[in-house]
Amino acid sequence: MKNRFLSNILLTFIWVALTGDFTLSNFFFGFLLSFFVLKMVISGESRAKYFRIAPKVVAFIFYFFKELVKANLQVAFEVMTPRFQMTPGIVGFPLEASSDIEISILANLISLTPGTLSLDVSDDRKVLYVHSMYIKDRESFIAGLKNGFEKRLLEILR
Amino acid sequence: MTLLDFIYYFVLPVLSISILLIFIRFLMGPKMVDRIIALDLIITTGIGFISAYSILYNQPTLLDVAMILALIAFLGTVAFTYYIQQKNKP
Amino acid sequence: MRTIILKTASSYLLPVLLIFSVFILLRGHYLPGGGFVGGLIASMAYVLHAFANGLSDTKNLLRFHPGFLMPIGLALAFVSGMAPLFLDLPFMTGLWYPGEIPVLGSIGSALFFDIGVYLVVVGVTLTIIFTIVDTI
Amino acid sequence: MLIAVLLGFVFSLLLVVAGKFFRGKPAILSAIIPLSLFVYFSGFINEVSGGGVIRQSFKWVPSFGVNLGFTLDGLSLLFSLMITGIGFLVFVYTSTYLKGHEYLDRFYGYLSMFMASMLGLVLSDNMISLFVFWELTSISSFFLIGFNNKSEASRKSAITALAVTGLGGMSLLAGALILGSVGGTYTISELLNSNQVIADSPYYIPIVIFMFGAAFTKSAQFPFHFWLPGSMLAPTPVSTYLHSATMVKAGIYLLMRFTPILGNTEFWNSTLLIVGAITMVYAAIHALFRKDLKGILAYSTISALGILVFLIGQGTEKALLAAALFIVVHALYKATLFLVTGIIDLQTQTRDVTVLRGLRKVMLPVAIAGFLAAISSAGIPPTVGFLGKELTYESTLALISMPVLWIALILITKILLLYAGFVAGISPFVGKLPEQFANTKKPGMLLWLPPMILAVTGIGFGIFPALVEPIVFPVVTAMGESLGNEHLKLWHGFNTVLWLSIATIAIGTVLYFILKPSQKLVESAERFEFLSPKALTTVGWAYFNKVSSLWTRIFQNGYLRNYVSTIVVFLIGLAGYSLYQTAKFDLDLSTLNEITLYEMAVVAMMFSSIFFVVFTKSRLTAVASMGVMGLSICLLFVFYSAPDLAMTQFSIDTLTVILFVLVLYRLPRYLKLSDYRTRIKDGIISLAFGSIITVLILEVLASPVDKTISKYYAENAYVLAKGKNVVNVILVDFRGSDTFMEISVLAIAAIGVYALLKLHLKETDQH
Amino acid sequence: MTNQLVIYPLLLQLFLSIFLMFAWRRISWQRVISIVGGFINIAVSIWLFAFIWNEGTHTVQAGNWAAPFGITFVADILSATLVLLTAISGLAVSVFSASSIVAARLKYGYFPIFHFLLLGLNGAFLTGDVFNLYVWFEIIIISSFVLITLGGEKAQLEGAVKYFTLNILASMIFLTAIAVLYGLTGSLNMADLSIKVAAIENRGLVEITGILFLIAFGIKAAVFPLYFWLPDSYHTPPSAVSAIFAGLLTKVGVYALIRFFTLIFVDNTFLQDTILVMAILTLISGGLGALVQNNLRKVFSYLIICHIGFMIIGLGLFTEMAIAGAIFYLIHDIVVKTNLFMVSGLIYRITGTNSIRSLGGLYAQYPMLSLLVAIPLFSLVGIPPLSGFWPKISLITAAFEGENWWVIGAILFASLITLVIIAKVWANVIWKEKLELPERLNFRYYEKLTNEGKMQLVAPIVFLSLVSLYIGFGAEHVQQLSSRVATELMDRQQYIEAVFKSSQTTKP
Amino acid sequence: MTDLIVGVLALFGTLFVFFAAVGMLRMRDTYLRISVTTKAATLGIGLLLVGSAVHSYELAITAKVFAIILFLFLTAPVSAHLVGRTSYFSGVKLWKNSVMDDMKGKYNPETEELGSGLEDEPENSDSKK
Amino acid sequence: MEIVLAIMIGFLYAAGIYMILRRSLVKLILGIIILGNGANLLIFLLGRISKGRPPIIAGDLKVFAEAYADPIPQALILTAIVISFGLQSFAIILIKRVYKVVKTDDLDEMNAIDQDS
Ligand code: NA
Ligand code: NA
């Protein structure tokens, strides 16, 4: 119920942002609309979980953008210089995250940042296969991810 | 050099060149997946194009198109990968 | 497709896209958009859901056959086109509620017509795609 | 008169519902109708012979100038009497002849429909209504010839007859319409006043040719005669009634009716002379080589029709009188002979003259009728046939050019016809009765009485020519000639005509005794059959069918791409020609916007993606390229101020890609199936098409344009329609009906898709 | 009440289609709705026809936007006539469908689509806007696609591919032509275009635009050399579907040709000569094609093509008399062709085949039906005084007045060959002895039908036969109507004034 | 001042897009290309979009721009993931200089199952769906 | 630019027709789509094009303050696009059904209807 309400609020904000009309009436309309939409989309069994709004989010966002810019510069350097310094490969990253939403967000964030790409999650949800451009060795790569994204993310989500 | 000149003489030409470069990848392939990525990136670049263009002509309404592009391009990719996956089914 | 990442994405994209589609629908009279594009986006939301979760899940979500939306939408458009006839005005004459309503702006038969378009487009697109996926 | 004409139609309609009743004994009751009509028309003899003309007119389709106008003058009276008189006898005869036939009612239905049509034809004073009835006679003839519908030969003959007479019908239609246009009316009696205008008009010759086309086909003139022997497959009453006495004379009637309007010109007369002469001689010779009684009679009928045309071609009042009289003569004796043949056929099951002998012993009345008809046909006094023959010789002798040739031809014809008459009317009855016919049953009175009546009438008219005068003389009057104080006489004194008559009878009789019909003769003629118009027509028809097949297969060859290229080439041809004639190619380039790099980039992408779609070997790549193309178009729409379009284009394209993707993976490989040459050819066609479009666009862009309407939209979109996105306002308000139909299209398509994929007919459901 | 009368036929069909969609699976309801709707439609159409006949051309400005700014619906006497004929054919086919279309097809939207098709036809006849005409055409096309593929059997699909492609090609050319027209004039209203096109200086461009329209409509009308889709597809769907196609689909093309080439593209000899040549070749090609077919429905299909020539000739000759002839022929042809294809369906129900070689025995088995069948068959030939005969008077006379001997020749040729073909059909289908056909289990033969089912097959044929008898024997009425149509068509000013007249009543 | 900010944003945005384009061409295998595009494009386009938001200086537009960016960031990684896994499963090879491939042999095309390599541990076997 | 676009449209028409002339059903339908795109652009171009002036009345204005692109062709194209979409989707499904029933994509083999039946 709480999640549902939060989702409703979140969608209302999206609506208000979309319309760019920050009036009370629009907010109210957006709320009704999202309520109706949620009623339409949420079936009995699957209850989607949504972000809990926390200050950590802000910090996380900054961390993420830092990583994003870093990654982009790296790529820029890589593609604009004549020779490649890449050592690419696929690494199986043992997941600590367990729920669908955790895994998904983690995987997506990994995909968005440093030279890395989430290929898939194993069917038993234990391993996230990540393709990376720069792998020195497996352990340090895994550790980097564990201490970077996964830790921060789980702090927010749990 | 005004902003509009900058957009006109730098941003749009560079984006044009970029889109053509990506298009070359689209043509080259070699695999279907490469084409899918290229197509996706072409569309994404198109969004950039539109935003630059909306600055140039001061027409922010054009950004609505960009919004549609962002949303729907994704669905195209999903469909293509779905296709390849179905096709690979024994 | 067996991927939880897509599955998760689709479940949060679905409401967002639906909201977006209504947004596109309602502002069509003022800015780019309208019933047609709105309807397309709404149906794409469901299509995406179907890709990620399988058709039967999506059908459960919808609870009724999407084809049913077509006569409803057409009937809505028909009624909004017919209404002026009762005032002895020609077919499809725009009738407007005097004054503005918050959010939606002016309310008039054209709006209902556009909603009809929206419903038909959703019905059509989903019927087509669901039928194909069903018979693959 | 309207009622008189319609009576037959009404009766045939009655038979549709009350057919069962008339199928049995009461069949003979139907003869009441022709009888009463005969009595009705006889009542006019006095008035008409006194120079009276009875006219009636009923409005039908005045917009076309078409009336049901009827004229009863000498000409139409003669025909009406023949139609109803002989009709009566045939109706009576049929009741026995086809007794117990399961479709007797239909037969009567067709027969009375024919009778009514024929009456309408000869009574019509309006060319269009004449044509209407003319066609109805053809159709009734079709049904009657095909009456034995289970026999393939019958069906074929019916079609042939209908085709030939139908050809004539078309010709009549054209002739009548043109004549109507030239003469300013379709009313025949009014046209008489404008015969000079018509003769002077540049369309005189075409009109006459069309009229001849009608007359010659209907009256079986060479080379259109061949349908008539074929139609002998019809039951004998039909042959009697339609194919000797009445319908075939419709052409003769037409010529006679139009003689005062179109006749008396060199072209009219000489054509008729020549065609008539060829027909009479050709058919008479043919009659020699038959052994089937009906075949002999058919050819002698054709020959007689030739004589009639020949006489009309002579055009003098004497000749016309001869024609009129000969119509009566021929109707009497030929109908008799046919009826007699029918009886023989019915009783002995054969019509082969080489085996028929001595039948007088089993059917004396029939033999008498046959004999009387034969001598009438031979022109032996005191038959009316003699009168006819005399007049014929007399008028022919009076011809100005080449009288000797014409006399020779008519003499030969008459001799051969005499021979034919004897063979048909006398030879089956004389000699020893063969074993096989010993038990032949005597025909009933209702069978032999009709021919007897006809035969006796022939003798009666011969002995008392004054009886036939009031019927025959007004015919000539009706054709615009005056006869003065002439009378028909058996005895003219010793003159050339008499010597010719004697020669005819003598030579003919000798020929009858020397030349016996035989299988050999028939076979010897068959050797030349391939040269006959019939054979040539058959071959021609076969070729025509072949050409039709070929033509149809060339265009309708089943290959979609050929259809498309034909259409496109046609378009290129027409539009190319027109462009070449008019395009100025002086484009004012300065008015066109300058080109920027980003536009070029998008266009380049567009071009290459099109190339890629066209030349790639992978279906999916093609589809992806379509995606690129869609995006390029979307960007173009953005550049040129069409955000709504850009949105829609892109969403639709993506959706299309999705559909394709969902459908494609089960399809076979995307092969290049056409060979190199086809591809080059198609490439040229396509590029030509594209070039035309490009040139057209540039031409249009160079011309000025009026933007009043879009200005109106822009000014009123918000003020009146409360919207700021003008495109959307157009869609839902200014042109909302378009949008309504557009979503209907979508809904229909969706239903179609649903049905296409979900509906699988089971075997029980099919069709 | 009558202010909006012009669009009542449209609203009625639209309502029926939507209503039928709501009754999706209830096919027995659908049958009733469709037939009752058909009767109402006839009533409305007669009302409209009478109104227009008495009051003259009437318009409705959709959305209350004055011409040329909105979409104008125009009912002149031609449109009203065609709407009435659509209603007549539509009702006949509705009833015929109720029995002849199998339940499986009915469950997949046969009736809604059928009424959409009628909607499209009415719309095409009534609209006064070029682009709106395009939209109506698309309604017609898509519904015909669905109807032609409904059931998805092999032959149907193969026919549908050709039908589909060539019709789409026509639409594309149509659309191109509209674009060019808009590019030249900035207008889409037909009356407005009539004025504006006349004012264009570059006549060459007008001519090319005319050519584009000629080809676009020519494909739809199935004119030589554009007719290929027709013989390859019309014999494939159920005969009720072919019946409505045969009666009305090509006629929409003819209608559009007549409308455009009397209102917008006039006074161009090149176009008129082209039309005339195409018409002559259409008559010949159709006739030759029909002669060599063995499938009854294919014979009729080629005859459709052949007889389109008569109507196009009227247009090519372009005199009032010729156009009156074309209109008369159009009226006759709609009724008779619809009827013929229903006849072919009836014959199929009786015998289980449409192959002429295998057919036969109808005369012996069903004499009354044979007689009934004779009416449309011989009307088609134009055996006078049946309906096909009368228009030839106008056409031949008009051709003669223009000294077009080739045209006269072609008319006579086509008439004669139709005569021969129908004689052959009659001889082989009706007269010939019944042949032994392979047993077809599960096939619902005519004799096995209930009386109600039989009546639903025969009654529409009787109905249309009566109509065609009326056209033949009441030719005076039809000719008056045709002449009036022709007069109105030749007088463009009348149409233009009617469209702009009512403008005062609308905003602003 | 606004112009300058917009210019800088546009400059970097454009450059990142350009790098992605070059990367797209130059990168040696599919996976690398996916990597390149996801990042460069999102950031580059994001900057350009922000630029136009700043330029318009309207709240509504800004909101819209952030909505677009949000959509992009929501969808880009998912599509990267989809294409990546599809590539791998359809047998697209890694670049020859790649150093490791942990996924090798884990995918069963018959059952479409992707193993983790940890299945042998018995206590976890029930978590598998 | 109009010249370039004119050439491009001509090229689209050419490519569309060329594809329709192929023997593959899939190519045929791609051809139809290309042709449709060509026609849409043709309408667009012939309605005269202008850059950066969408026909949307800005902000609080009631009428246009400056020149704008002609909205009519845009509305027409929108309708045409949607209609084409209906037809295309039907066509695409037709491919599917045809392939299922006829077992080929080769148009030249779809001639059973030509045999007399
Ligand atoms: Na990444
Ligand atoms: Na990277």
Side-chain angles (χ1 to χ4, degrees), chain D residues 16 61-64 106 110 131 149 181 203 551 556 558 563 578 713 733 735 738 741 765-767, chain E residues 65 69 102 129 132 135 153 162 202 207-208 228 232 285 302 349 363 367-368 389 394 397 403 476 479:
Chain D
V16 171
V61 192
S63 308
F64 283 125
R106 288 184 207 173
Y110 300 142
F131 170 76
N149 59 54
S181 288
Y203 307 111
W551 174 274
Q556 199 71 31
Y563 301 163
S578 180
Y713 286 173
D733 199 332
R735 301 186 61 88
D738 281 350
M741 290 313 116
D765 289 339
Q766 279 169 2
H767 300 292
Chain E
W65 299 106
F69 302 115
V102 295
D129 186 284
N132 196 240
V135 179
E153 294 181 303
K162 288 165 188 171
N202 189 341
E207 182 175 294
I208 298 167
F228 310 111
D232 276 1
S285 260
Y302 275 100
R349 263 284 142 251
Y363 197 52
M368 282 304 188
F389 159 64
S394 313
T397 310
E403 303 209 353
E476 175 61 20
Q479 175 59 15

Side-chain angles (χ1 to χ4, degrees), chain D residues 602-617:
Chain D
V602 171
V603 170
M605 199 157 74
M606 183 99 170
F607 269 107
S608 352
S609 57
I610 297 170
F611 261 110
F612 216 46
V613 174
V614 173
F615 294 109
T616 181
K617 283 185 184 132

Side-chain angles (χ1 to χ4, degrees), chain A residues 108-118 131, chain F residues 34-36 38-39 80:
Chain A
N108 289 345
L109 290 174
I110 289 173
S111 286
L112 276 170
T113 50
T116 46
L117 162 69
S118 306
H131 179 272
Chain F
I34 300 170
S35 277
V36 166
T38 319
K39 277 171 288 290

